[in-house]
Amino acid sequence: MTVDDTTRMIKGAHVVAFPFPAGGHLARFIPFAKSLARNGLTITFITTIPHLANARRALVENNSFEARENIRLVCFDLPAEYAEVNRKNFIAMIQVTNNMRDQLCELMTALMKPNGVTSDISQSSDSRFGPPVCIISDMFLAWTQDVADEFKIPRYCLFPTPHLLSLLYSLRDFNAQGLLPVPADGKSLEIPCFPPIAPSDLPSNLPSPGLLVYEGERLWEAAGVLVNSVYELESEIIDGLQEMIFKHSTREQVPKILAVGPFMFENIQFCQGDQPLRQRLQFAQDNNECLHWLSKQPESSVLFICFGTISVFPMQQMHEFASGLEASGVRFLWVVKIPAASNTVNGLSPITSTDQEHLASYFPKSFMERTKDKGLIYTSWAPQLQILAHPTIGGFLTHCGWNSVTESIAMGVPMIAWPLWADQMLNRVLCVDILHIALPVHKNFKDTVVRGEEVERVIRLLMEEKRGQAMKKKVEELSKVLEKASGPGGSSRRNLALFYETWKKEQY
Ligand SMILES: O=c1ccn([C@@H]2O[C@H](COP(=O)(O)OP(=O)(O)O[C@H]3O[C@H](CO)[C@@H](O)[C@H](O)[C@H]3O)[C@@H](O)[C@H]2O)c(=O)[nH]1
């Protein structure tokens, strides 16, 4: 069955989408919701004031007419304590969002009645929205399972990666065996079809494992998990995890794991053809400084360096990194985020030109003057995807955030993996040890930072040696796999069809 046949059957089924209120999480939910809307489902999308403008821009203003008509935005108040919580303290943020339960119950009650919702921000006509058939909520909103149960509809979880999911599903057992927060003897943890996970590679949230164990436990009750990945990329891990779930589930309805990503394909336009995907992307005209600088560099010569939206290096690490980069002699485009001089709201705002002196203090003396012909240091929001697609880019030094990893694979760019926290260490294992498309960075046990010599070594290895070429070939093959999976008849499309099939016999 093709996805189109399926969607015709379920046209109009109404789902409630509830992302965790943080930027990276909305970034996962927004393209997914757009894809559901384009396929004919109606969606009530829950957001919060800090994210309302972005959500509205992406889901309503920059969306096709049909998709726009199918999405309704509802804005929840964040619990008062949320503002007090340090944005990097996810455990505290998760605890606070528990207090949104009443708002969700109130919304669900209203949605179950015809024309029950009046606080519609995006002006879709209420009559198009029948009673919701499921809640799709985020990984840190496990309590939404209670609400789904109360309203007798299934909960699905939208999740980044199969390997992290496998760890979450295993936490219940690890906890029962007394292996958390870390096994006492420093032993590794075993999850299905993945190399043993060393204690140092566990997500840094685990030192407070209670909440994550709870997240994992509630996943056993979900109807399914929709993963922002591709079956072919992690087939053994997905099959192994599904097998483990079948074996240990005590419920009649066993949760289904469906890879339906990568959602980035919802955000890009490209023409069909035999050339690599990065050559077929279509971007709007952009006068961005990075792209202008790149256009003057030789092909495949530039290392792109970016550590995502949250992570920053301490000053000593910046110095070591910069000296290794300079010693490598490789051209670079480095998106630098440092704590702003004037301690702004989140302390991580991109710095402005007036902060030049403050910026220079993060580098070895005169580094910026010495490297000005070799590299560009960029301190604002960079057009990462367009940069990765640029023919002058030869490698990507990344913190292994999942979006960066999928973008790099899709653009066929080999990586240097420098994970910092959360799921990033597991993503490195996937890229380095399983897919062989990234080189790891090593830190001496006795050092607190990665030394400049190591930075120089790994950069040269990727950019100048045969090893880099072999990885480039591999990652270009995977780029085709990703494109095929998300295209017509591909595995991600078929999995979406399976997800839709749940409602095909219902009448709307
Ligand atoms: O200057 C910039 C910086 C980032 N990006 C984009 O921002 C996203 C960054 O996402 P990601 O690579 O996943 O990094 P984080 O923002 O750090 O993501 C958080 O969320 C990810 C997905 O759940 C996790 O894998 C990470 O560990 C977690 O830090 C990507 O799409 C980038 O293209 C830009 O376009 N320009």
Side-chain angles (χ1 to χ4, degrees):
M1 181 188 314
T2 69
V3 71
D4 293 330
D5 291 341
T6 316
T7 52
R8 251 200 306 280
M9 281 185 273
I10 51 87
K11 198 168 173 70
H14 172 199
V15 306
V16 173
F18 189 3
F20 187 80
H25 294 254
L26 265 92
R28 181 161 60 245
F29 268 73
I30 285 174
F32 183 66
K34 281 168 90 167
S35 143
L36 297 185
R38 210 167 21 80
N39 281 304
L41 272 75
T42 51
I43 294 123
T44 295
F45 191 99
I46 300 170
T47 188
T48 50
I49 296 281
H51 303 288
L52 181 58
N54 272 348
R56 194 186 337 231
R57 205 168 23 250
L59 291 170
V60 183
E61 289 158 21
N62 298 341
N63 212 350
S64 69
F65 178 74
E66 200 198 357
R68 187 165 63 219
E69 282 292 291
N70 287 347
I71 297 181
R72 173 166 61 180
L73 277 172
V74 168
C75 193
F76 275 9
D77 291 330
L78 276 168
E81 316 89 278
Y82 199 83
E84 307 300 320
V85 170
N86 177 344
R87 274 168 208 281
K88 284 188 87 177
N89 184 351
F90 256 81
I91 298 295
M93 284 167 77
I94 296 165
Q95 274 161 336
V96 171
T97 47
N98 253 304
N99 299 340
M100 294 166 107
R101 189 183 295 244
D102 288 350
Q103 293 182 76
L104 182 60
C105 285
E106 223 174 275
L107 173 71
M108 292 300 295
T109 308
L111 291 176
M112 291 292 171
K113 298 180 199 143
N115 301 324
V117 171
T118 50
S119 60
D120 180 5
I121 301 165
S122 50
Q123 289 145 24
S124 280
S125 111
D126 280 346
S127 59
R128 301 166 52 85
F129 292 70
V133 295
C134 73
I135 296 176
I136 306 176
S137 61
D138 216 336
M139 61 190 286
F140 294 131
L141 299 174
W143 55 267
T144 54
Q145 182 67 52
D146 293 333
V147 181
D149 290 347
E150 190 180 328
F151 287 85
K152 299 193 171 40
I153 56 174
R155 175 208 176 205
Y156 287 82
C157 183
L158 194 64
F159 204 85
T161 59
H163 47 279
L164 182 64
L165 183 64
S166 203
L167 176 65
L168 245 73
Y169 265 107
S170 305
L171 287 181
R172 185 177 69 176
D173 275 1
F174 293 156
N175 199 38
Q177 294 164 34
L179 297 174
L180 300 180
V182 279
D185 51 6
K187 270 203 192 132
S188 301
L189 293 175
E190 307 263 349
I191 61 172
C193 306
F194 199 72
I197 302 173
S200 56
D201 283 347
L202 286 171
S204 40
N205 297 339
L206 275 186
S208 168
L211 270 169
L212 285 187
V213 172
Y214 174 70
E215 294 293 322
E217 271 173 355
R218 301 307 305 264
L219 280 178
W220 287 89
E221 297 163 49
V225 185
L226 306 163
V227 190
N228 184 15
S229 187
V230 161
Y231 175 75
E232 290 81 351
L233 212 58
E234 303 194 57
S235 57
E236 286 183 17
I237 299 166
I238 294 173
D239 291 344
L241 170 61
Q242 189 70 73
E243 202 182 309
M244 174 180 93
I245 295 174
F246 265 112
K247 206 161 139 198
H248 296 290
S249 174
T250 51
R251 301 170 73 86
E252 205 178 305
Q253 292 288 328
V254 176
K256 272 207 183 77
I257 311 303
L258 298 171
V260 294
F263 305 149
M264 59 164 286
F265 278 91
E266 195 58 36
N267 291 332
I268 59 173
Q269 292 195 326
F270 54 94
C271 39
Q272 300 302 321
D274 292 333
Q275 305 106 306
L277 178 62
R278 67 197 280 192
Q279 291 172 21
R280 288 181 278 119
L281 287 193
Q282 295 169 321
F283 295 110
Q285 185 71 25
D286 193 333
N287 295 325
N288 180 275
E289 186 191 349
C290 300
L291 301 171
H292 181 68
W293 182 83
L294 282 176
S295 68
K296 292 191 268 173
Q297 309 307 317
E299 195 165 319
S300 301
S301 69
V302 179
L303 178 70
F304 176 51
I305 304 161
C306 184
F307 287 84
T309 56
I310 311 169
S311 308
V312 283
F313 271 168
M315 194 179 274
Q316 196 197 352
Q317 183 63 81
M318 286 286 283
H319 276 251
E320 287 290 334
F321 185 86
S323 56
L325 179 61
E326 185 179 2
S328 77
V330 164
R331 289 168 203 272
F332 63 88
L333 166 53
W334 184 2
V335 180
V336 173
K337 287 185 176 54
I338 60 171
S342 51
N343 196 11
T344 47
V345 188
N346 61 11
L348 301 176
S349 301
I351 49 178
T352 65
S353 54
T354 54
D355 291 322
Q356 279 308 318
E357 217 175 288
H358 177 64
L359 176 65
S361 72
Y362 273 77
F363 299 106
K365 198 163 183 311
S366 308
F367 169 83
M368 292 168 82
E369 288 79 43
R370 284 196 308 275
T371 56
K372 68 179 185 317
D373 296 331
K374 274 270 169 172
L376 178 67
I377 288 172
Y378 193 70
T379 56
S380 298
W381 183 257
Q384 178 164 306
L385 195 64
Q386 245 170 304
I387 290 170
L388 286 170
H390 205 279
T392 58
I393 293 296
F396 181 19
L397 195 154
T398 169
H399 69 315
C400 298
W402 187 240
N403 296 306
S404 292
V405 168
T406 45
E407 287 164 14
S408 201
I409 297 177
M411 296 305 110
V413 178
M415 290 167 269
I416 293 173
W418 190 315
L420 299 171
W421 69 302
D423 57 335
Q424 295 157 17
M425 284 80 77
L426 296 190
N427 298 344
R428 179 212 33 213
V429 173
L430 178 78
C431 294
V432 172
D433 301 326
I434 300 180
L435 300 177
H436 308 294
I437 53 171
L439 292 172
V441 174
H442 298 296
K443 187 169 86 183
N444 286 333
F445 281 117
K446 53 183 179 0
D447 288 336
T448 49
V449 293
V450 176
R451 292 286 164 208
E453 295 78 28
E454 168 64 4
V455 176
E456 178 188 351
R457 181 196 71 82
V458 74
I459 292 177
R460 282 181 186 272
L461 196 57
L462 185 84
M463 300 297 286
E464 294 173 358
E465 312 274 333
K466 279 205 179 116
R467 188 92 179 270
Q469 286 307 313
M471 284 197 306
K472 186 163 192 277
K473 210 161 159 251
K474 183 80 206 290
V475 74
E476 281 172 353
E477 281 162 18
L478 290 179
S479 164
K480 290 185 200 146
V481 170
L482 249 58
E483 184 184 350
K484 191 160 173 237
S486 40
S491 61
S492 289
R493 292 274 194 107
R494 290 200 307 274
N495 279 339
L496 257 189
L498 276 177
F499 168 64
Y500 296 152
E501 215 174 318
T502 322
W503 306 296
K504 75 177 182 183
K505 292 191 186 72
E506 306 280 338
Q507 298 295 313
Y508 296 99

